[in-house]
Amino acid sequence: MLYMVHMVVNIPATVSPAEADEIKRREKAYSQDLQRAGKWRHLWRVVGEYANVSIFDVASNDELHTLLSGLPLFPYMQIKVTPLANHPSSIVQE
């Protein structure tokens, strides 16, 4: 199942720069592992925001929730999930 996920990050000022850097390092490693596994299919930065739009390809809502809640930045994110379906006019069908 494909999902479009919009993530907005807001790390509070109470998190030290060193701690924020460590969280971001773990976030990068985790997200890259999911990309290599084919679960996180696309990742785009939203211009002018500390945010991204991503496409996930997972088996279920529960799997997506597990992956998202495992993100090191998860406690500092606002996340909007949109399930996707094939469009009949698309020349590429997933």
Side-chain angles (χ1 to χ4, degrees), residues 32-89:
Q32 288 180 346
D33 286 346
L34 291 175
Q35 290 172 68
R36 287 184 195 96
K39 302 288 184 180
W40 197 323
R41 298 267 302 268
H42 300 280
L43 172 59
W44 292 282
R45 179 176 295 184
V46 176
V47 175
E49 297 179 28
Y50 192 177
N52 74 72
V53 173
S54 297
I55 303 296
F56 284 81
D57 187 357
V58 295
S60 67
N61 294 340
D62 290 331
E63 181 181 8
L64 180 62
H65 180 77
T66 297
L67 296 178
L68 293 176
S69 62
L71 290 164
L73 284 170
F74 181 78
Y76 312 112
M77 290 182 168
Q78 291 180 322
I79 298 175
K80 179 181 177 192
V81 175
T82 305
L84 300 175
N86 288 325
H87 193 287
S89 297

